[in-house]
Amino acid sequence: MSTTTDKSSSPPCMEATDSDCTVPVIHIDPTLCTGCRRCAGVCPVDAIEGLPGEPQTVNADRCVFCGQCVQICSVYASDWADASPQEAAIRRQARMRERDMPADIGEPLFAAYYSYSLNKVTDMMTKPGQLRIVQCAPSIRVSLAEEFGMPFGTLTPGKMAAALRRLGFDRVYDTNFGADVTIMEEGTELIRRVTEGGPLPMFTSCCPAWVRFAEIEYPDLLDHLSSCKSPMQILGALVKTYGAQLDEVKPANIYSVAIMPCTCKQFECDRPEMESDGYRDVDEVLTTRELAYWIKQRGIDFMNLPDEEFDSPLGKYSGAGTIFGVTGGVMEAAIRTGYELLTNEKLPKLQLDFVRGEEGIRVAEVQVGELQLKVAVVAGLQHAYQLLDRVQAGECDYHFIEVMGCPAGCISGGGQPKLMLEKQKIEAYRARKSSIYGHDAASQVRKSHENPFIIKLYDEFLGEPLGHVSHHLLHTTFHKRGPGRQSRNSDVSTNGNNDYSLH
Ligand code: SF4
Ligand code: SF4
């Protein structure tokens, strides 16, 4: 395989149906907001509206629910110094109820916040007669321990699995397995598009903020998105079909929860098309922070838990599934499999450094057999505009483009532990990323198509990638959510300034 790199900074589309734009996920409390507009500086889509010095609002039609504004907001409720301690406690509790936050969370109440799901999940966990299943995104295992005072990037998959069992889950599965399936499906789709006439470039579809961005800003390009559901939704669909068969339980009796680094995942799991045979793929999503609250609330001594295994078969993953948590990871995982499927030769080197950088846009050419595959990786939606404009103008000859909405990929998601200092963020992102790559390097299986549980899944249940069953369960459609950026008489710009660089 040969590569050249140029690091520069520079399914049919459905008709408009914005009626499925559900409850906004991101909120700003007008009684707390000072109008500092730090949040507007990181918003990739100019969704924060208001005059400086006045309370801001979130334009829900534009917002892609990435949660970067929630991460950066540093203004929180004071101790209500004008009130007695009793009155201050009453006011705090009232505000927490408004936000549907568990009453015993001790953290400050910031002006910008996301909707909480923890109360809904803890209520459902007490319902008898159901099989409670949880899945965890790749990036949770490198960030959760930070909430328990451990250094940035501490890797704790075993303790996370143990904690989830103690919280009452009957099966602890892994979104990484869903990521391995994504590679099988998306890789096959790419090969088919390359050999059968496009449309190209094909875009990844695993980041829901990116998908929503495309639906709002570039609806005419939706047929360029891979039709694959995200790894979370893929695993959710498998849990209530293949998993239900293995457990001999009815899908209706499965309660499926996902732990995600991402605030947009709540929106994604609510999308009407995210169901299979009448059952929601994923019933509820919790963020990393919500899981940490829950573990603390239950008095679980997280760092002293024994390491436990994820359950089989939907919890057994390859290193390729793990690296979905960082920018460039989907591309690297796809090339590891695509190269071998197309050439029938072993990939000479598994660590693909040309997609591992930190620039907002990274491009490379990869020789895959006869094909000179041109790929691009976009980290952070503010960088997507320039590439999408070129695709729209027919000037972009790439085959495959990965887009992740957050600046360093899922490790920097809006639901991750909140870090307000830029220096802390850079340290944390670097450590989480290194930890993810270390986890991959230590994996016995590092390619999705070599994961024996993936091979078994296709043998026993799915048949073949892009086959009838996969098409039905694991692929989806996207929806136009407005006339698009070109039609808006506004200067939607790249004014977000959340460039992620370690240099
Ligand atoms: S939401 Fe937070 S960051 Fe945004 S303007 Fe208000 S106080 Fe500032
Ligand atoms: S930063 Fe993200 S979540 Fe916040 S308003 Fe902008 S698009 Fe919405």
Side-chain angles (χ1 to χ4, degrees), residues 28 32-39 56 72-75 111-112:
I28 293 178
L32 298 178
C33 178
T34 61
C36 69
R37 287 187 58 79
R38 291 184 73 206
C39 50
Q56 306 294 298
I72 204 163
C73 180
S74 57
V75 174

Side-chain angles (χ1 to χ4, degrees), residues 163-385:
L164 289 164
R165 287 203 181 91
R166 282 148 188 76
L167 290 171
F169 288 102
D170 303 302
R171 297 276 176 277
V172 181
Y173 288 150
D174 207 309
T175 313
N176 296 18
F177 183 92
D180 277 334
V181 180
T182 300
I183 289 303
M184 300 302 289
E185 295 292 325
E186 201 170 73
T188 308
E189 185 182 355
L190 178 63
I191 292 168
R192 193 170 286 182
R193 287 190 191 220
V194 168
T195 55
E196 295 180 11
L200 294 169
M202 185 176 92
F203 288 100
T204 56
S205 56
C206 40
C207 168
W210 147 243
V211 168
R212 185 168 160 81
F213 173 92
E215 292 177 321
I216 295 171
E217 302 284 356
Y218 294 89
D220 54 319
L221 295 183
L222 292 180
D223 58 353
H224 287 260
L225 265 66
S226 161
S227 63
C228 272
K229 291 180 181 174
S230 70
M232 175 182 89
Q233 297 298 152
I234 282 180
L235 194 75
L238 291 174
V239 157
K240 292 197 184 176
T241 51
Y242 180 58
Q245 284 177 18
L246 295 177
D247 270 317
E248 298 181 350
V249 60
K250 290 181 186 157
N253 292 338
I254 291 180
Y255 182 56
S256 169
V257 175
I259 316 291
M260 292 284 135
C262 171
T263 44
C264 192
K265 286 283 176 188
Q266 285 181 27
F267 167 77
E268 183 187 36
C269 88
D270 273 347
R271 292 177 64 120
E273 59 274 19
M274 292 300 174
E275 64 173 39
S276 306
D277 298 334
Y279 299 103
R280 302 303 303 159
D281 293 340
V282 173
D283 293 306
E284 212 65 68
V285 173
L286 296 177
T287 62
T288 319
R289 286 165 65 190
E290 285 177 279
L291 175 59
Y293 300 145
W294 193 9
I295 293 169
K296 289 175 192 168
Q297 184 189 49
R298 291 283 295 273
I300 296 169
D301 182 3
F302 182 76
M303 290 314 300
N304 285 314
L305 286 172
D307 287 339
E308 293 182 5
E309 293 282 316
F310 290 86
D311 285 306
S312 281
L314 302 178
K316 302 296 181 188
Y317 53 90
S318 75
T322 299
I323 58 177
F324 267 58
V326 289
T327 166
V330 182
M331 181 63 69
E332 183 165 342
I335 292 174
R336 287 182 190 177
T337 285
Y339 182 91
E340 299 201 353
L341 294 185
L342 268 171
T343 63
N344 283 322
E345 290 172 12
K346 286 281 173 205
L347 187 66
K349 187 178 173 221
L350 285 184
Q351 179 173 321
L352 306 181
D353 293 321
F354 54 91
V355 294
R356 290 192 175 191
E358 286 89 34
E359 295 83 355
I361 298 180
R362 311 187 290 281
V363 302
E365 292 186 16
V366 191
Q367 194 66 42
V368 183
E370 300 290 301
L371 176 68
Q372 186 81 358
L373 187 75
K374 291 190 74 174
V375 301
V377 173
V378 181
L381 289 176
Q382 75 275 26
H383 299 293
Y385 286 106

Side-chain angles (χ1 to χ4, degrees), residues 26 39 42-45 47-48 58 63-69:
I26 304 295
C39 50
V42 296
C43 179
V45 291
I48 307 272
V58 176
C63 178
V64 296
F65 308 143
C66 67
Q68 292 302 306
C69 52

Side-chain angles (χ1 to χ4, degrees), residues 139 141-143 146 150-155 326 358 408 411 419 423-439 500 502:
S139 62
R141 72 208 66 203
V142 297
S143 60
E146 294 167 20
M150 298 305 288
F152 292 138
T154 302
L155 178 69
V326 289
E358 286 89 34
I411 53 168
L419 301 165
K423 185 169 169 287
Q424 276 186 326
K425 280 187 189 170
I426 289 172
E427 277 176 31
Y429 298 170
R430 178 187 287 141
R432 292 173 193 167
K433 179 177 173 179
S434 158
S435 200
I436 288 232
Y437 282 133
H439 196 38
Y500 166 60
L502 300 180

Side-chain angles (χ1 to χ4, degrees), residues 118-132:
L118 187 50
N119 282 337
K120 281 182 266 179
V121 172
T122 50
D123 284 352
M124 279 299 291
M125 291 291 284
T126 61
K127 194 176 155 199
Q130 59 184 359
L131 191 71
R132 303 171 194 92

